[in-house]
Amino acid sequence: MGSTAAMLLRSVAVLALLTTSATTAAAQYWNSGTATFYGGRDGSGTMGGACGYDNLYNQGYGVLNAALSQVLFNDGASCGQCYNIKCDTGKSGWCKPGYSVTVTATNLCPPNYAITTNGGGWCNPPRPHFDMSQPAWEQIGIYRAGIIPVLYQRVPCTRQGGVRFTISGFNYFQLVLITNVAGSGSIRSMSVKGASTGWIAMTRNWGALWQCSSALVGEPLSFAVTSTGGQTLYMNNIAPAWWTFGMTFASNNQFAY
Protein backbone atom coordinates (compact mmCIF):
# COMPACT_ATOMS: atom_id res chain seq x y z
CA MET A 1 0.00 0.00 0.00
CA GLY A 2 2.86 2.32 0.87
CA SER A 3 4.54 1.54 -2.47
CA THR A 4 1.33 2.28 -4.39
CA ALA A 5 0.88 5.57 -2.56
CA ALA A 6 4.47 6.55 -3.33
CA MET A 7 4.03 5.76 -7.03
CA LEU A 8 0.80 7.77 -7.10
CA LEU A 9 2.55 10.69 -5.44
CA ARG A 10 5.35 10.60 -7.98
CA SER A 11 2.83 10.48 -10.85
CA VAL A 12 1.02 13.52 -9.47
CA ALA A 13 4.35 15.36 -9.11
CA VAL A 14 5.34 14.58 -12.71
CA LEU A 15 1.92 15.67 -13.99
CA ALA A 16 2.19 18.93 -12.06
CA LEU A 17 5.65 19.55 -13.51
CA LEU A 18 4.44 18.91 -17.06
CA THR A 19 1.43 21.15 -16.54
CA THR A 20 3.64 23.94 -15.18
CA SER A 21 6.03 23.58 -18.12
CA ALA A 22 3.19 23.69 -20.63
CA THR A 23 1.68 26.74 -18.94
CA THR A 24 5.06 28.50 -18.91
CA ALA A 25 5.63 27.70 -22.59
CA ALA A 26 2.19 29.04 -23.47
CA ALA A 27 2.84 32.20 -21.47
CA GLN A 28 6.15 32.73 -23.27
CA TYR A 29 4.53 32.32 -26.70
CA TRP A 30 3.46 35.97 -26.64
CA ASN A 31 6.11 38.69 -26.39
CA SER A 32 5.59 42.13 -24.89
CA GLY A 33 6.10 45.34 -26.85
CA THR A 34 4.46 48.63 -27.72
CA ALA A 35 2.72 50.02 -30.79
CA THR A 36 1.98 53.39 -32.37
CA PHE A 37 0.55 54.22 -35.81
CA TYR A 38 1.38 56.30 -38.88
CA GLY A 39 0.42 56.77 -42.51
CA GLY A 40 -3.08 58.26 -42.24
CA ARG A 41 -6.52 56.72 -41.94
CA ASP A 42 -6.23 54.99 -45.33
CA GLY A 43 -2.65 53.80 -44.71
CA SER A 44 -1.41 55.48 -47.90
CA GLY A 45 1.49 57.06 -46.03
CA THR A 46 2.96 53.62 -45.35
CA MET A 47 3.72 52.93 -49.03
CA GLY A 48 7.41 52.52 -49.83
CA GLY A 49 9.67 52.05 -46.84
CA ALA A 50 13.01 50.55 -45.91
CA CYS A 51 12.20 47.08 -47.26
CA GLY A 52 11.99 48.46 -50.80
CA TYR A 53 8.49 47.18 -51.56
CA ASP A 54 7.25 50.51 -52.98
CA ASN A 55 3.51 50.04 -53.68
CA LEU A 56 2.39 47.56 -51.03
CA TYR A 57 -0.85 46.75 -52.83
CA ASN A 58 0.97 45.76 -56.02
CA GLN A 59 3.46 43.64 -54.09
CA GLY A 60 0.77 41.61 -52.31
CA TYR A 61 1.04 43.11 -48.83
CA GLY A 62 -1.77 45.66 -48.63
CA VAL A 63 -2.43 48.15 -45.89
CA LEU A 64 -2.07 45.84 -42.86
CA ASN A 65 1.61 46.54 -42.36
CA ALA A 66 4.08 47.88 -39.80
CA ALA A 67 7.46 49.51 -39.45
CA LEU A 68 9.63 47.59 -36.99
CA SER A 69 11.94 49.06 -34.39
CA GLN A 70 15.63 48.51 -34.98
CA VAL A 71 15.86 45.46 -32.71
CA LEU A 72 13.07 43.71 -34.65
CA PHE A 73 14.04 44.94 -38.14
CA ASN A 74 17.39 43.13 -37.95
CA ASP A 75 19.04 45.14 -40.74
CA GLY A 76 16.28 44.18 -43.17
CA ALA A 77 16.35 40.43 -42.53
CA SER A 78 12.81 40.68 -41.08
CA CYS A 79 11.29 42.28 -44.19
CA GLY A 80 8.14 40.40 -45.18
CA GLN A 81 7.66 38.62 -41.86
CA CYS A 82 4.18 38.47 -40.33
CA TYR A 83 3.22 39.28 -36.76
CA ASN A 84 -0.04 38.76 -34.93
CA ILE A 85 -0.54 41.63 -32.49
CA LYS A 86 -3.09 42.34 -29.78
CA CYS A 87 -3.37 45.11 -27.21
CA ASP A 88 -2.28 44.08 -23.71
CA THR A 89 -5.50 44.57 -21.73
CA GLY A 90 -3.66 43.89 -18.48
CA LYS A 91 -1.61 47.07 -18.94
CA SER A 92 -3.97 49.52 -20.65
CA GLY A 93 -7.57 50.65 -20.73
CA TRP A 94 -7.19 51.84 -24.32
CA CYS A 95 -7.46 48.37 -25.83
CA LYS A 96 -10.16 46.76 -27.93
CA PRO A 97 -10.42 43.48 -25.98
CA GLY A 98 -10.74 40.27 -27.95
CA TYR A 99 -9.27 41.67 -31.16
CA SER A 100 -5.94 40.99 -32.84
CA VAL A 101 -4.48 41.86 -36.24
CA THR A 102 -1.81 40.29 -38.42
CA VAL A 103 0.60 42.71 -40.09
CA THR A 104 3.51 42.39 -42.50
CA ALA A 105 6.88 44.00 -41.74
CA THR A 106 7.46 46.47 -44.57
CA ASN A 107 9.49 49.30 -43.07
CA LEU A 108 11.98 50.39 -40.40
CA CYS A 109 11.00 52.64 -37.52
CA PRO A 110 14.38 54.34 -37.01
CA PRO A 111 15.78 55.07 -33.56
CA ASN A 112 15.89 58.63 -32.28
CA TYR A 113 18.78 58.92 -29.87
CA ALA A 114 17.98 62.57 -29.15
CA ILE A 115 15.18 61.42 -26.84
CA THR A 116 14.99 58.66 -24.25
CA THR A 117 13.55 55.23 -24.93
CA ASN A 118 10.59 55.84 -22.63
CA GLY A 119 10.24 59.53 -23.45
CA GLY A 120 9.24 59.24 -27.08
CA GLY A 121 12.11 57.22 -28.54
CA TRP A 122 9.81 54.26 -28.96
CA CYS A 123 11.95 52.63 -31.65
CA ASN A 124 15.25 52.98 -29.81
CA PRO A 125 17.11 49.75 -28.94
CA PRO A 126 16.42 47.50 -27.17
CA ARG A 127 12.71 48.26 -27.35
CA PRO A 128 10.49 45.94 -29.47
CA HIS A 129 8.06 48.36 -31.09
CA PHE A 130 5.62 48.35 -34.00
CA ASP A 131 4.75 51.58 -35.81
CA MET A 132 1.67 50.18 -37.49
CA SER A 133 -0.49 51.50 -40.30
CA GLN A 134 -3.41 53.34 -38.77
CA PRO A 135 -6.03 50.94 -40.21
CA ALA A 136 -4.18 48.01 -38.60
CA TRP A 137 -3.60 49.76 -35.27
CA GLU A 138 -7.22 50.84 -34.91
CA GLN A 139 -8.31 47.21 -35.03
CA ILE A 140 -6.75 46.71 -31.58
CA GLY A 141 -6.46 50.17 -29.97
CA ILE A 142 -8.56 53.26 -29.33
CA TYR A 143 -7.37 56.20 -31.44
CA ARG A 144 -6.90 58.72 -28.60
CA ALA A 145 -4.32 56.51 -26.86
CA GLY A 146 -1.61 57.14 -29.46
CA ILE A 147 0.57 54.38 -28.05
CA ILE A 148 -0.48 51.08 -26.48
CA PRO A 149 1.25 48.10 -24.86
CA VAL A 150 0.93 45.01 -27.02
CA LEU A 151 1.50 41.29 -27.06
CA TYR A 152 2.88 39.90 -30.30
CA GLN A 153 3.99 36.67 -31.90
CA ARG A 154 5.48 35.85 -35.26
CA VAL A 155 3.10 33.82 -37.44
CA PRO A 156 3.23 32.19 -40.90
CA CYS A 157 2.40 34.48 -43.82
CA THR A 158 -0.38 33.75 -46.31
CA ARG A 159 -0.03 35.14 -49.84
CA GLN A 160 -1.95 34.89 -53.08
CA GLY A 161 -0.01 33.43 -56.02
CA GLY A 162 3.69 32.71 -56.29
CA VAL A 163 6.92 34.42 -55.30
CA ARG A 164 7.72 37.47 -57.46
CA PHE A 165 11.01 38.89 -58.72
CA THR A 166 11.54 42.47 -59.92
CA ILE A 167 14.85 42.96 -61.72
CA SER A 168 16.58 46.33 -61.77
CA GLY A 169 20.18 47.48 -62.14
CA PHE A 170 22.34 48.00 -65.24
CA ASN A 171 24.81 46.07 -67.40
CA TYR A 172 26.89 43.94 -65.00
CA PHE A 173 24.83 44.72 -61.90
CA GLN A 174 21.54 43.00 -61.04
CA LEU A 175 19.37 44.20 -58.16
CA VAL A 176 16.45 41.86 -57.51
CA LEU A 177 13.48 42.66 -55.30
CA ILE A 178 11.75 39.53 -53.99
CA THR A 179 8.13 39.92 -52.91
CA ASN A 180 4.90 38.08 -52.10
CA VAL A 181 6.72 35.53 -49.94
CA ALA A 182 4.52 33.20 -47.87
CA GLY A 183 5.52 30.93 -44.98
CA SER A 184 8.40 32.60 -43.15
CA GLY A 185 7.79 35.74 -45.20
CA SER A 186 11.49 36.61 -45.20
CA ILE A 187 14.57 35.39 -47.04
CA ARG A 188 17.81 33.98 -45.62
CA SER A 189 19.79 33.56 -48.84
CA MET A 190 19.40 33.77 -52.59
CA SER A 191 21.30 32.75 -55.74
CA VAL A 192 20.82 33.39 -59.45
CA LYS A 193 21.82 31.34 -62.48
CA GLY A 194 21.97 32.20 -66.17
CA ALA A 195 21.99 29.77 -69.07
CA SER A 196 25.80 29.92 -69.25
CA THR A 197 26.63 30.14 -65.53
CA GLY A 198 26.47 28.08 -62.40
CA TRP A 199 24.69 29.31 -59.29
CA ILE A 200 25.90 32.79 -58.29
CA ALA A 201 25.42 33.77 -54.66
CA MET A 202 23.62 37.07 -54.13
CA THR A 203 24.03 39.38 -51.16
CA ARG A 204 21.44 41.54 -49.43
CA ASN A 205 21.70 45.09 -50.71
CA TRP A 206 19.05 46.49 -48.37
CA GLY A 207 15.65 45.36 -47.18
CA ALA A 208 14.23 42.75 -49.57
CA LEU A 209 16.64 43.66 -52.39
CA TRP A 210 19.42 41.24 -53.36
CA GLN A 211 22.34 41.96 -55.65
CA CYS A 212 25.08 40.40 -57.74
CA SER A 213 27.67 41.73 -60.20
CA SER A 214 27.55 39.42 -63.19
CA ALA A 215 26.99 39.60 -66.95
CA LEU A 216 23.51 38.09 -67.13
CA VAL A 217 21.75 40.35 -69.62
CA GLY A 218 20.32 38.28 -72.48
CA GLU A 219 20.18 35.04 -70.50
CA PRO A 220 17.16 33.32 -68.94
CA LEU A 221 17.38 33.59 -65.16
CA SER A 222 16.70 30.99 -62.50
CA PHE A 223 16.65 31.63 -58.77
CA ALA A 224 17.41 29.47 -55.73
CA VAL A 225 15.88 31.04 -52.63
CA THR A 226 16.04 29.91 -49.00
CA SER A 227 13.52 31.27 -46.53
CA THR A 228 14.40 32.10 -42.93
CA GLY A 229 12.40 28.99 -42.07
CA GLY A 230 14.99 26.91 -43.91
CA GLN A 231 12.98 25.90 -47.01
CA THR A 232 14.81 26.16 -50.34
CA LEU A 233 12.97 26.57 -53.64
CA TYR A 234 14.63 26.22 -57.03
CA MET A 235 12.69 28.37 -59.50
CA ASN A 236 14.00 27.69 -62.98
CA ASN A 237 13.80 30.01 -65.98
CA ILE A 238 11.64 32.55 -64.17
CA ALA A 239 12.86 35.37 -66.39
CA PRO A 240 13.13 34.60 -70.14
CA ALA A 241 16.18 35.60 -72.16
CA TRP A 242 14.44 38.79 -73.34
CA TRP A 243 13.97 40.24 -69.84
CA THR A 244 14.87 43.90 -69.35
CA PHE A 245 15.53 45.98 -66.24
CA GLY A 246 12.37 47.07 -64.48
CA MET A 247 10.35 43.94 -65.31
CA THR A 248 8.61 41.75 -62.72
CA PHE A 249 8.19 38.00 -63.06
CA ALA A 250 5.91 35.78 -60.97
CA SER A 251 6.75 32.16 -60.27
CA ASN A 252 4.36 29.28 -59.69
CA ASN A 253 6.26 28.44 -56.50
CA GLN A 254 5.49 29.42 -52.93
CA PHE A 255 7.00 28.79 -49.51
CA ALA A 256 5.26 26.66 -46.89
CA TYR A 257 7.61 27.68 -44.06
Side-chain angles (χ1 to χ4, degrees):
M1 190 70 177
S3 176
T4 300
M7 289 179 63
L8 180 59
L9 185 60
R10 282 196 296 271
S11 297
V12 170
V14 169
L15 180 60
L17 179 61
L18 291 174
T19 301
T20 301
S21 299
T23 302
T24 302
Q28 292 175 343
Y29 188 56
W30 290 91
N31 304 288
S32 295
T34 49
T36 49
F37 60 85
Y38 79 114
R41 297 191 69 88
D42 62 356
S44 60
T46 65
M47 299 296 115
C51 288
Y53 293 137
D54 195 19
N55 188 311
L56 299 178
Y57 288 106
N58 293 346
Q59 305 297 9
Y61 299 119
V63 75
L64 298 181
N65 59 73
L68 306 186
S69 63
Q70 191 174 55
V71 69
L72 293 174
F73 191 69
N74 194 22
D75 292 328
S78 298
C79 285
Q81 292 179 359
C82 296
Y83 295 85
N84 187 243
I85 305 173
K86 61 183 179 181
C87 188
D88 190 347
T89 55
K91 295 181 179 179
S92 175
W94 295 97
C95 299
K96 292 182 179 178
Y99 289 90
S100 68
V101 62
T102 297
V103 297
T104 299
T106 59
N107 200 359
L108 167 68
C109 180
N112 184 349
Y113 297 110
I115 51 181
T116 64
T117 300
N118 293 319
W122 312 128
C123 294
N124 292 354
R127 188 175 187 131
H129 182 84
F130 298 85
D131 199 14
M132 303 167 62
S133 70
Q134 187 173 337
W137 190 93
E138 287 200 82
Q139 292 192 30
I140 60 172
I142 299 172
Y143 178 81
R144 285 185 298 163
I147 181 171
I148 53 174
V150 297
L151 297 171
Y152 70 93
Q153 57 183 231
R154 192 170 157 205
V155 295
C157 299
T158 301
R159 307 293 182 211
Q160 297 296 317
V163 179
R164 301 172 192 160
F165 302 86
T166 300
I167 308 169
S168 57
F170 56 91
N171 295 335
Y172 298 98
F173 176 72
Q174 287 76 43
L175 188 64
V176 179
L177 173 67
I178 182 167
T179 58
N180 202 49
V181 178
S184 296
S186 52
I187 301 305
R188 177 192 298 170
S189 62
M190 183 168 161
S191 298
V192 62
K193 182 169 71 73
S196 64
T197 73
W199 288 107
I200 302 167
M202 306 185 77
T203 57
R204 189 186 303 276
N205 181 283
W206 58 280
L209 286 149
W210 294 75
Q211 68 178 44
C212 73
S213 299
S214 301
L216 295 173
V217 175
E219 298 195 25
L221 301 182
S222 301
F223 296 96
V225 185
T226 301
S227 69
T228 51
Q231 182 182 5
T232 299
L233 296 180
Y234 292 90
M235 291 169 268
N236 296 314
N237 300 316
I238 294 300
W242 46 262
W243 67 267
T244 58
F245 294 114
M247 298 184 73
T248 298
F249 300 93
S251 73
N252 292 318
N253 308 88
Q254 192 51 273
F255 288 95
Y257 59 90

